[in-house]
Amino acid sequence: MRRWIWLVVVLVTLLPVAEGASSVRGVLGASLLVVPLLLLIAKIGRRPVSRWPELSTGAFFRVVGIVAAVELVAAAIISHAVFGGIPHVQDSAAQLMHARIFALGHLWVPAPHPAGFFVFPNMILGERWYSEYPPGHVAMLALGLLVHAPQLVNPILGSASVALIALVARELWGPTVGALASVLALASPFILFMSSEYMNHATALFAFALALLGYLRARRTGRLVDAAIAGFGLAWLILTRPYTAFGLAPPFALELVLALRGDPKLLRTLWPVALGGVLGVVGMLAFNAATTGHALRFGYVEAYGAEHLPSFGANPFGALGQASAAVYTPVDALRVTLAGLNALNLQLLGWPVPALAVVALPFALGIADRWCRTFAGAIATLVVAYAAHKYHDFCFGPRYFYEGVALAIPLAARGLVALRERFEGATLSARAFAMVPVFGVAFSVLVCMPLLGREYASGYWGVDHHLLDELERNHIERGVIFVDALGSVFPQNDPLLRGPIIWAWDHGEANANLMALHPDLPAWVERDEKLVPLK
């Protein structure tokens, strides 16, 4: 029965590869898959292949240290070279603007006047001005602003997350699996590009991976300090993406309940984890009260109304994010979920084979332990939770599933090591399967990442650097600048509009109303993507 289930999984996960077979990536991927087969046909390498030796502790930390450093440098370079050091997604821009408010020592500031010049998606503009987002990632960006390097926040978080993912895999399945997990994470386009922009998923992944590592260590060592680390990570995750925390929690809660039934004394060690969860919820409610005015009213609801909450029915965004559809149905949920899983297949590892098939290897090989089942269950509950989310988009991949990479990559590494060992007695097969991760990582780095990099560099989400380049070309150091689109420059504003540069929507003759409030600043206006003085 298990083999039949595995066959169904493989057939389902092959769908996105078949769908992209006509693309350049599909053709190159198909070519790459032929390489191991050619090695078998040519009967190269008849000598027995020895079992992978278990890495020493020192070797493991050297590998992970090098990998984390490469991740940091690569993400920082991409942040500058591909994204120009600015947020490209409306969510990111709003959170960076909110971080500027945090950096001033406030949770919100009074609304700007006239307000119509500064309307921006995901910013709440009433008597108070702030973003709809929880405070966890906003606070991280504020720290980056205080040291004048907000563009490095996500690269640092991405590098640390790669190291934590490796430590999680090592904690459960040894240093060899841990080292391979770090390499898979480094070569993941999903992780690298998400770590190069400003999205709050970078903080959420770091917080979840930290909580996961602390929890696993606490289970093994019985030390309160490990449980406290887990509690801190859980609180931070709740304060960053509370719905994601909700989606990931059930399988871990079930695993803990079953463990407590066998050993009630575990509660003496793990109570800081529960405390962290409580503190995260209390902190989130307190933030809501300080911003929206009511502890149970989230910023999302303040911005879009109660219909924004995950459910089926009336949809303020329109099904699949399209304003033409006013109702979100289970059929829509199924469609967007399958699309998200297909995208995850392509971008989790960046291989020309479905990533979920690799993640499922421990189950196919019959080596899945309770942690494999818990990890897979948490990925499933995260996917199911977001099926009820009414707004869907693909941002550097299926971003709602992003925090699940802390679970998926260790599973993939565990399966690949076991697969290699399963063919220990078959020389040719062993050598071919040993090369699969090598070819997969090479394909991701040499083919997948460059293709995605070119896509992201070409005005991703309609944002580019031309207005900031115009600012420099015209040597503009102060002024009110009226533009056709605020997406590229909105978060460059001072929240109190103290200048020296104020970016605002171009409202034609009404621009005089804003200019009158800043008579000491010259005025400029965008014309055909150029900035010209406004007389």
Side-chain angles (χ1 to χ4, degrees):
M1 178 62 70
R2 177 173 57 81
R3 293 181 178 179
W4 283 105
I5 294 175
W6 171 239
L7 178 61
V8 172
V9 170
V10 170
L11 290 175
V12 170
T13 54
L14 279 172
L15 289 176
V17 173
E19 182 180 344
S22 60
S23 66
V24 173
R25 180 179 174 180
V27 173
L28 292 175
S31 300
L32 190 60
L33 285 172
V34 174
V35 174
L37 179 61
L38 292 177
L39 291 176
L40 288 175
I41 295 174
K43 297 184 178 180
I44 296 175
R46 291 179 176 275
R47 291 176 301 173
V49 180
S50 60
R51 182 180 298 273
W52 283 359
E54 197 68 60
L55 290 180
S56 66
T57 299
F60 167 79
F61 282 106
R62 284 193 294 273
V63 170
V64 173
I66 292 172
V67 166
V70 172
E71 174 77 18
L72 174 59
V73 172
I77 291 174
I78 292 172
S79 175
H80 174 75
V82 175
F83 299 115
I86 61 174
H88 276 242
V89 184
Q90 295 170 349
D91 308 52
S92 305
Q95 288 177 90
L96 181 58
M97 187 62 176
H98 201 172
R100 293 191 185 279
I101 296 173
F102 272 31
L104 295 176
H106 304 291
L107 298 181
W108 53 270
V109 294
H113 182 74
F117 286 96
F118 305 99
V119 172
F120 193 79
N122 306 324
M123 290 294 294
I124 296 170
L125 186 52
E127 293 183 359
R128 301 173 176 180
W129 199 24
Y130 58 99
S131 80
E132 66 180 43
Y133 296 97
H137 183 62
V138 175
M140 293 301 298
L141 292 177
L143 291 176
L145 287 168
L146 291 175
V147 298
H148 307 289
Q151 73 277 9
L152 292 181
V153 169
N154 277 27
I156 292 172
L157 290 169
S159 174
S161 297
V162 167
L164 289 173
I165 289 171
L167 290 170
V168 166
R170 172 181 177 265
E171 183 68 29
L172 291 177
W173 300 304
T176 299
V177 175
L180 179 57
S182 72
V183 174
L184 296 180
L186 172 65
S188 167
F190 203 7
I191 293 178
L192 182 61
F193 288 106
M194 189 70 81
S195 300
S196 303
E197 209 248 3
Y198 286 76
M199 293 292 282
N200 67 6
H201 295 277
T203 292
L205 175 61
F206 174 81
F208 176 54
L210 184 67
L212 183 59
L213 178 62
Y215 178 72
L216 295 174
R217 286 182 59 84
R219 291 290 301 273
R220 178 174 61 84
T221 66
R223 297 190 307 177
L224 285 176
V225 65
D226 292 321
I229 291 172
F232 175 76
L234 177 58
W236 198 354
L237 175 61
I238 292 171
L239 288 169
T240 304
R241 294 190 64 84
Y243 192 63
T244 294
F246 167 78
L248 290 167
F252 288 99
L254 176 61
E255 194 279 332
L256 178 58
V257 168
L258 294 177
L260 287 173
R261 289 179 60 186
D263 184 9
K265 294 180 180 179
L266 279 175
L267 193 58
R268 299 177 184 176
T269 300
L270 298 176
W271 64 264
V273 181
L275 177 62
V278 171
L279 291 177
V281 171
V282 170
M284 190 67 245
L285 297 180
F287 178 77
N288 288 343
T291 50
T292 68
H294 193 290
L296 297 179
R297 186 163 64 245
F298 286 79
Y300 307 108
V301 175
E302 183 73 9
Y304 299 107
E307 291 179 344
H308 173 278
L309 295 172
S311 63
F312 297 107
N315 185 4
F317 304 106
L320 314 184
Q322 302 299 319
S324 59
V327 178
Y328 185 67
T329 68
V331 174
D332 295 323
L334 178 61
R335 186 163 70 251
V336 297
T337 299
L338 291 177
L341 291 175
N342 279 352
L344 190 64
N345 268 322
L346 294 170
Q347 296 202 37
L348 173 62
L349 299 177
W351 291 15
V353 296
L356 293 180
V358 182
V359 172
L361 277 174
F363 299 92
L365 298 174
I367 60 169
D369 57 19
R370 75 176 188 277
W371 292 114
C372 289
R373 293 189 290 272
T374 301
F375 281 22
I379 295 171
T381 54
L382 180 65
V383 170
V384 170
Y386 273 104
H389 198 274
K390 295 177 180 177
Y391 179 80
H392 291 267
D393 59 43
F394 292 103
C395 180
F396 309 113
R399 65 185 181 94
Y400 293 137
F401 305 158
Y402 182 70
E403 291 74 14
V405 304
L407 308 169
I409 287 181
L411 284 173
R414 171 69 173 123
L416 288 169
V417 170
L419 184 66
R420 165 64 179 78
E421 294 176 347
R422 182 62 59 91
F423 287 87
E424 184 66 27
T427 305
L428 297 178
S429 298
R431 186 173 293 276
F433 278 104
M435 296 180 69
V436 168
V438 176
F439 283 119
V441 168
F443 180 82
S444 179
V445 172
L446 299 177
V447 179
C448 185
M449 288 183 179
L451 288 175
L452 289 172
R454 285 195 291 273
E455 175 186 340
Y456 298 148
S458 58
Y460 192 56
W461 277 58
V463 169
D464 57 38
H465 215 267
H466 80 275
L467 286 172
L468 295 175
D469 292 339
E470 274 291 292
L471 201 71
E472 184 176 351
R473 187 180 68 83
N474 289 280
H475 306 290
I476 302 174
E477 297 181 354
R478 51 195 300 273
V480 180
I481 305 176
F482 298 96
V483 297
D484 298 328
L486 272 179
S488 302
V489 291
F490 172 75
Q492 306 300 320
N493 276 318
D494 176 82
L496 300 178
L497 301 183
R498 298 170 299 184
I501 300 292
I502 298 175
W503 298 93
W505 286 103
D506 180 8
H507 285 317
E509 294 182 358
N511 291 347
N513 297 328
L514 183 60
M515 294 166 59
L517 297 177
H518 303 277
D520 57 324
L521 295 178
W524 298 72
V525 66
E526 182 183 6
R527 293 287 184 263
D528 297 324
E529 297 191 347
K530 302 292 184 182
L531 295 181
V532 299
L534 185 61
K535 305 298 183 181

